[in-house]
Amino acid sequence: MTEQNRPAKLGPVATFAGRSLEVLRDMILDGTLSPGERLNEVHLSQALGISRGPLREAIQRLASEGLVEAVTHRGVYVRSFSARELSDFYELRIALETHAVRLAARYAPQERIDELGRMLDDTESSMGSDATGSYPADPDFHARLARLAASPPLIQALTDVGRKIQLARARSAHQPRRARTALDEHRTIVAALDDRDGDHAASLLEAHLSSSLNSALAVLRAAEPD
């Protein structure tokens, strides 16, 4: 964590471990704290303006989420994941998300599906004419899609595995993405939802996520030492 990347102090609310957890998690997922980086409690406590107690509680929660790991006699480090682990995470994500899209096709109100389609229109407008640009991170199509299933446990499970995938893909975060192709694939998924064809939507979604995995693996393997 360089000086220019240090976040502003959090103020009085930061004495609560929950707020510390949110900030530290964001720092890991946005790359401020890099995979493999050691968490220096003294520096983090000073940089964030929080006491060591809530900071340690937050770190313990991050360990339970699988985002950091303690190494005996060495300290706590931001997790880095292998290509095999990334594949395993995607396998779980595909199982969960295809189940979610089948539920959405069966139960989601039509106005919610229409909103998802309009969101893709807004996404396309924000991408403009740049064919090499990245797909916007916000709004998150997959998070909105999962919420159509109206199943809080399913959404929580997808959130947990999604964080690990985001961290595993940290090294490829700034690589050009297949943005236009992804947008077209998202539109076909919404069209299948509009037809209430859950099996077709799930098949399209599985193919879409498999393509995303292959893209991420290519970058991850290229970055791994021989």
Side-chain angles (χ1 to χ4, degrees):
M1 180 175 60
T2 61
E3 288 293 333
Q4 63 267 28
N5 288 332
R6 288 186 186 278
K9 292 186 177 182
L10 301 177
V13 295
T15 56
F16 297 100
R19 178 62 179 146
S20 305
L21 172 65
E22 293 173 9
V23 172
L24 279 176
R25 186 192 290 124
D26 287 344
M27 291 172 68
I28 290 170
L29 296 180
D30 70 13
T32 302
L33 294 169
S34 305
E37 182 174 349
R38 182 177 180 273
L39 301 188
N40 187 311
E41 288 188 12
V42 174
H43 290 170
L44 284 170
S45 178
Q46 293 173 348
L48 299 175
I50 60 179
S51 59
R52 299 281 288 280
L55 178 63
R56 286 173 177 166
E57 288 183 49
I59 290 173
Q60 289 174 356
R61 284 285 303 279
L62 291 170
S64 71
E65 292 178 6
L67 299 181
V68 302
E69 62 180 339
V71 180
T72 306
H73 305 309
R74 294 182 58 193
V76 178
Y77 293 79
V78 178
R79 285 287 306 272
S80 56
F81 297 105
S82 66
R84 175 55 191 267
E85 287 173 312
L86 178 59
S87 295
D88 289 342
F89 295 148
Y90 261 92
E91 184 177 342
L92 176 57
R93 179 185 178 183
I94 288 170
L96 293 170
E97 206 163 325
T98 53
H99 178 55
V101 81
R102 284 189 173 95
L103 290 177
R106 187 179 304 171
Y107 299 118
Q110 185 60 43
E111 59 266 25
R112 297 290 304 282
I113 297 174
D114 293 342
E115 287 173 4
L116 196 60
R118 289 193 294 271
M119 189 200 82
L120 292 179
D121 292 338
D122 293 340
T123 296
E124 184 171 17
S125 296
S126 71
M127 289 168 63
S129 59
D130 185 0
T132 62
S134 296
Y135 197 103
D138 189 44
D140 186 332
F141 172 81
H142 290 273
R144 297 280 185 93
L145 182 64
R147 286 200 290 271
L148 291 181
S151 171
L154 183 57
I155 292 168
Q156 184 58 56
L158 277 166
T159 299
D160 291 343
V161 73
R163 287 172 181 154
K164 294 183 179 72
I165 289 173
Q166 186 176 345
L167 180 54
R169 295 195 64 172
R171 280 177 283 178
S172 63
H174 301 292
Q175 297 293 326
R177 297 188 181 182
R178 43 190 288 279
R180 291 288 169 181
T181 300
L183 179 63
D184 291 341
E185 291 169 355
H186 288 169
R187 287 195 183 281
T188 63
I189 293 165
V190 173
L193 277 177
D194 200 45
D195 291 338
R196 301 293 175 169
D197 190 340
D199 288 340
H200 185 43
S203 177
L204 292 168
L205 180 58
E206 181 173 359
H208 168 69
L209 291 175
S210 295
S211 294
S212 176
L213 170 61
N214 290 335
S215 176
L217 286 175
V219 175
L220 188 61
R221 286 171 174 151
E224 289 180 340
D226 294 330

